[in-house]
Amino acid sequence: MRQLSFMPNRRRPVSLALAAAALASMPAAAFAAEKTGMSSEGIFVLEVILLLVVGRGIGELLERLGQPAVMGQLIGGILLGPSLLGWLWPAAERLVFAGDAAQKSMINAIAQFGVLMLLLLTGMETDLRLVRRVGRACFSISATGVAVPFALGFVAAQFMPASLLATGSERIVSGLFLGTALSISSVKIVAMVVREMNFMRRDLGQIIVSSAIIEDTIGWVIIAITIGIATHGRIELASLAFTLAGVAAFMAFSFTLGRRIVFDAIRWTNDTFRSEYAVVTVILAIMGGMALVTDLIGVHTVLGAFVAGILVGESPILSRHIEGQLRGVITALFMPVFFGVAGLSADLTVLVDPELALLTVALVAIASLGKFGGAFIGAEVAGMSRSEGIAVGCGMNARGSTEVIVASIGLSIGVISHTLFTMIVTMAVITTLAMPPTLRWALGRLPMGEAEKKRLEREEVDQRGFITNLERLLVVVDEGVVGRFAAYLAGVIGAGKPTTVLRTSGESEADPVEAAHLDEIEKGAEQGREAAKEADEEPAHEAPLTRRTHDAPLSAEAVAKEARKGYGMLLIGLGRAVTAKGGFSRRLNEVAGAFEGPLCLVLKPAGVGRQMPRLGPGSGRILVPVNGTANARRGAELALAVASVTGAPVKVLYVARPGRDEPRDTVSHRRREAVLKDIVALADRYGVEIETAIRSRAAAADAIARQAGRNVALIVMGVARRPGEELIFGETTSGVLQRCPCPVMLISDARLRRDDEGREALRSGTGTG
């Protein structure tokens, strides 16, 4: 949790200076515009700059105070509008932000497209797997959390003064809109505070975020339907039935056939296009297409953008890098502009009227009590404790960015007046700023159960893991027994991850060798899904399996071309890849040299027979040499991942430098114990029982070879990839490949870049290699 009192003193003046500079830029820029007679294009650029700078500066200050930065962008727009700048200097405010219709349409166009971009990002952040994992509690919380404030908002609209409603708008339509506005929560704000409190992985934190996700989804569907009704000005049964049927059909298509279309479009673009940001372009096109579909069925485009974001966020090909590119442009440009424009539309000077001020206080009270009470009732129905119910109620009360989007849509289509819009924005700001401290207070009073503690420990191990964070796997195998064994291991490791298989022969696409490889991969993946189900974990989804064929034997250029599409690891299984001296064949060096990332090599030393092992409960052991390095831990993780699926027994051997046995209280002995303790914790995460041993009286290769002769089916080693064109992993690895009578699986780190090779050469001897 961020503690302001412990913030370094030099950072506070920086944040204050940013905010002060942002505020100081307002009159200076307005004065420049007034004196120089800027064109409409110049004023447009000035508007964007002011909204970006002022919003970012105030947002930075709020974030350092433990508040959401997005509120700073909204407050920045309020200060630049009639609430402050228009009150202090009306001429400057009219010149910059209240020009002619053509000039205003330019900034409004960016803001309207920003709404779609924000809904796309919101959908991408909607984790439906989290909703499925939490269970029924979030459904009851979201149901009552929407129903109670919706009913209160609808009733409140029936008693509001007519002056607060838009001209020509029916009270029933306004009531539907206001009820929806009061019932929706901001997933982004809720998730931010829960994450800041380190509660995102806690059971209650996941329930709060999942409930907000469901409320958001329900809210946008209701908003879309309400807007469809509002466009007709009244409720028409035939039109309402058509709208409901259209929304139902759109949602059904999107989450069935549409999901596959989106996944395939993103994967095809990523794998086919070589131009920059091609995937981002396709994502924006998908968003635009789905927004147009919802517009054609008579509801707002925001529903299409939101659903598109959900589907894009679930795509197995969407890497963190691509997601970061899209998030960057939305957060840096569209978000500050949209919320700034929304703030410009609010005029807080109307609240000097005592009647309007009292009505605003009443609206805040109705919204807060309705949301808190509804969520609390849902928590009681779900059987949660009273303290948990209070925390859930506090968490659901943040409207934030979502409320502002809803209010802006209502204002644009003429459902609410400017005065009511200002009241709703004020309510959104107050409830959002009040939510973080109240939720922190509520969460800080909740203890942690034993089962939850074990789950958090398991997830903590996953966060530091390599296999658990692997996004996409590239596999190169040949037609021999090594290739089939490597294909099976690829299925075990890559269960639930998109996998691409490159063939090393020029056979036809439908030959039986390739079919056997794909069968082995699917066999391993199916075992992985079954193991996850037995361990009571969320089973891995069936991920796409892609095959690439070539008219000639696979070349290094073909591997390099495929590698540019983005893979977390290259797994290679080639026959005759190990020489008698423990080196590697030219073919293996060429294929591996074309990949910059981590390698996983499945090798059959020269002295090993033709048959590869069958891993299982009754088979030989998997031997894992470790020495305390990060590469060695990666090898242990790989071995445990394989053992958790196959059921093969595992022995972890700590290989230390030759020497005498040291007393237990020495630093080196304690280090060995700490390393093995970490491996044991990793084994507990995977549900694998392991045997551990320490060998320090012989060279590492000798100790490993001696253990390999004792019923060992497979050796798994984490090694360091030395600088150079050829594969070199060190003397220990060469010795193992020369002397061990069983297959060896090596996992290495990424290849060093040329400008790093000289600097890292002395430190490249890490790992068991």
Side-chain angles (χ1 to χ4, degrees):
M1 182 177 67
R2 185 181 289 109
Q3 295 286 347
L4 185 63
S5 58
F6 294 103
M7 187 185 298
N9 289 335
R10 65 178 181 274
R11 296 181 64 186
R12 294 183 193 173
V14 171
S15 63
L16 293 174
L18 284 172
L23 293 174
S25 66
M26 295 161 46
F31 180 77
E34 185 177 14
K35 293 299 182 183
T36 58
M38 287 186 181
S39 64
S40 60
E41 291 82 4
I43 292 177
F44 166 72
V45 174
L46 178 60
E47 287 176 335
V48 173
I49 293 174
L50 283 174
L51 293 176
L52 292 179
V53 173
V54 175
R56 184 63 62 188
I58 299 177
E60 180 72 15
L61 177 60
L62 286 181
E63 187 165 351
R64 292 174 185 270
L65 295 173
Q67 295 288 346
V70 68
M71 285 295 98
Q73 298 164 7
L74 176 63
I75 294 173
I78 293 174
L79 298 180
L80 288 170
S83 302
L84 181 64
L85 182 61
W87 177 57
L88 296 176
W89 193 356
E93 191 266 338
R94 285 195 301 271
L95 176 65
V96 179
F97 292 107
D100 59 18
Q103 189 270 323
K104 289 181 66 175
S105 65
M106 297 171 68
I107 193 69
N108 286 333
I110 299 293
Q112 291 304 314
F113 191 73
V115 173
L116 300 184
M117 298 288 282
L118 286 170
L119 266 296
L120 174 71
L121 183 60
T122 301
M124 291 173 62
E125 294 174 341
T126 301
D127 189 355
L128 296 183
R129 291 172 298 179
L130 180 62
V131 175
R132 290 191 291 266
R133 187 186 311 133
V134 170
R136 67 180 184 88
C138 58
F139 289 98
S140 63
I141 292 170
S142 57
T144 55
V146 168
V148 173
F150 181 90
L152 292 178
F154 182 83
V155 172
Q158 310 311 310
F159 295 95
M160 277 187 173
S163 59
L164 295 181
L165 305 179
T167 304
S169 176
E170 287 194 357
R171 283 190 180 271
I172 294 180
V173 177
S174 299
L176 291 174
F177 195 90
L178 184 61
T180 306
L182 266 59
S183 62
I184 203 167
S185 296
S186 174
V187 175
K188 191 176 186 68
I189 304 300
V190 172
M192 182 208 72
V193 178
V194 172
R195 186 181 295 112
E196 178 195 297
M197 290 285 295
N198 292 323
F199 258 76
M200 184 57 82
R201 294 187 296 113
R202 292 280 300 271
D203 291 340
L204 184 62
Q206 293 186 353
I207 289 174
I208 292 174
V209 175
S210 299
S211 301
I213 288 172
I214 297 176
E215 287 189 8
D216 228 25
T217 306
I218 295 173
W220 286 118
V221 173
I222 297 176
I223 278 291
I225 296 172
T226 303
I227 292 171
I229 296 172
T231 54
H232 295 85
R234 60 187 184 277
I235 297 178
E236 297 178 353
L237 294 181
S239 176
L240 178 60
F242 175 80
T243 300
L244 292 174
V247 170
F250 171 76
M251 299 293 284
F253 176 83
S254 298
F255 289 101
T256 52
L257 186 59
R259 182 196 301 267
R260 176 54 55 189
I261 293 174
V262 170
F263 289 1
D264 289 345
I266 292 176
R267 180 178 60 176
W268 180 80
T269 304
N270 182 77
D271 293 352
T272 305
F273 284 69
R274 299 188 63 177
S275 54
E276 290 186 322
Y277 310 118
V279 174
V280 174
T281 301
V282 169
I283 290 173
L284 294 178
I286 291 171
M287 176 201 74
M290 298 185 72
L292 287 176
V293 171
T294 54
D295 183 67
L296 289 175
I297 62 177
V299 298
H300 202 275
T301 53
V302 292
L303 179 63
F306 178 68
V307 174
I310 294 177
L311 299 183
V312 169
E314 289 192 330
S315 172
I317 302 296
L318 188 68
S319 66
R320 296 185 183 93
H321 176 64
I322 295 173
E323 185 180 357
Q325 292 173 342
L326 194 57
R327 186 185 303 275
V329 68
I330 295 174
T331 305
L333 174 61
F334 290 103
M335 188 177 291
V337 170
F338 168 74
F339 288 114
V341 171
L344 292 173
S345 301
D347 185 3
L348 297 186
T349 59
V350 301
L351 299 183
V352 298
D353 185 337
E355 182 181 357
L356 290 178
L358 287 175
L359 287 174
T360 303
V361 172
L363 184 65
V364 172
I366 291 172
S368 301
L369 293 176
K371 178 60 73 172
F372 180 88
F376 184 83
I377 292 171
E380 290 284 324
V381 173
M384 300 172 66
S385 68
R386 185 154 297 179
S387 297
E388 291 174 331
I390 292 173
V392 170
C394 292
M396 293 294 100
N397 201 32
R399 271 74 178 185
S401 56
T402 309
E403 181 79 4
V404 178
I405 295 173
V406 173
S408 299
I409 294 172
L411 181 64
S412 65
I413 64 175
V415 177
I416 61 176
S417 64
H418 273 86
T419 302
L420 183 55
F421 172 82
T422 299
M423 294 168 61
I424 294 176
V425 169
T426 303
M427 180 268 291
V429 172
I430 293 174
T431 56
T432 302
L433 296 181
M435 178 269 206
T438 56
L439 183 58
R440 292 187 189 103
W441 168 80
L443 292 180
R445 303 167 59 239
L446 296 173
M448 184 186 301
E450 189 64 30
E452 184 179 14
K453 183 178 180 181
K454 289 183 178 180
R455 179 180 63 80
L456 291 177
E457 290 174 350
R458 183 176 70 244
E459 292 179 358
E460 182 69 25
V461 173
D462 286 347
Q463 282 189 333
R464 297 192 297 126
F466 172 74
I467 300 300
T468 51
N469 291 301
L470 186 63
E471 292 184 338
R472 196 179 186 191
L473 181 63
L474 179 61
V475 180
V476 174
V477 290
D478 64 8
E479 65 278 3
V481 292
V482 177
R484 292 192 62 174
F485 183 59
Y488 167 73
L489 292 175
V492 171
I493 298 168
K497 301 174 177 64
T499 301
T500 300
V501 182
L502 296 182
R503 304 181 56 208
T504 63
S505 64
E507 302 294 333
S508 64
E509 184 174 342
D511 74 77
V513 172
E514 181 181 39
H517 286 146
L518 298 179
D519 287 344
E520 290 292 340
I521 291 178
E522 183 55 40
K523 175 184 175 183
E526 181 60 31
Q527 281 188 247
R529 289 190 288 268
E530 291 295 327
K533 189 182 299 182
E534 292 178 4
D536 199 25
E537 298 179 1
E538 183 179 359
H541 298 292
E542 291 191 23
L545 177 60
T546 307
R547 57 190 179 191
R548 307 279 186 219
T549 58
H550 300 268
D551 295 333
L554 188 66
S555 63
E557 290 77 12
V559 176
K561 180 181 178 181
E562 184 67 29
R564 285 194 292 266
K565 299 170 183 176
Y567 292 89
M569 184 174 72
L570 170 63
L571 188 147
I572 306 176
L574 303 177
R576 298 188 180 92
V578 182
T579 67
K581 295 183 179 181
F584 303 106
S585 66
R586 185 168 64 92
R587 189 183 187 193
L588 178 60
N589 273 293
E590 289 177 351
V591 173
F595 192 77
E596 297 286 344
L599 296 175
C600 181
L601 309 179
V602 180
L603 305 169
K604 184 174 77 69
V608 179
R610 298 176 63 86
Q611 296 296 322
M612 298 299 282
R614 286 289 179 183
L615 301 177
S619 67
R621 295 178 294 185
I622 299 177
L623 179 64
V624 188
V626 298
N627 65 353
T629 62
N631 290 309
R633 188 183 190 276
R634 182 177 293 183
E637 182 188 356
L638 178 65
L640 293 170
V642 173
S644 67
V645 175
T646 62
V650 177
K651 181 170 184 177
V652 178
L653 180 70
Y654 188 100
V655 286
R657 293 181 179 179
R660 302 177 184 176
D661 289 335
E662 298 175 338
R664 295 183 60 86
D665 59 347
T666 61
V667 174
S668 58
H669 188 88
R670 289 196 296 270
R671 179 175 178 270
R672 297 171 193 172
E673 289 186 337
V675 170
L676 292 178
K677 184 178 179 181
D678 178 55
I679 301 297
V680 170
L682 193 61
D684 290 340
R685 155 61 190 101
Y686 281 97
V688 176
E689 293 186 5
I690 63 173
E691 177 186 352
T692 61
I694 299 177
R695 296 292 181 268
S696 59
R697 293 189 175 184
D702 295 335
I704 296 170
R706 191 174 296 116
Q707 287 293 322
R710 302 174 184 176
N711 192 30
V712 171
L714 177 67
I715 298 175
V716 180
M717 298 173 59
V719 294
R721 193 173 178 178
R722 307 296 175 87
E725 297 298 327
E726 294 188 358
L727 288 178
I728 301 175
F729 298 119
E731 295 180 359
T732 299
T733 303
S734 298
V736 168
L737 293 175
Q738 281 182 279
R739 302 176 54 185
C740 290
C742 61
V744 178
M745 194 172 184
L746 304 178
I747 180 169
S748 79
D749 49 5
R751 185 171 66 180
L752 294 174
R753 297 181 181 271
R754 290 187 176 275
D755 56 354
D756 292 335
E757 289 181 0
R759 185 167 63 252
E760 297 291 338
L762 296 177
R763 293 185 292 174
S764 63
T766 58
T768 51

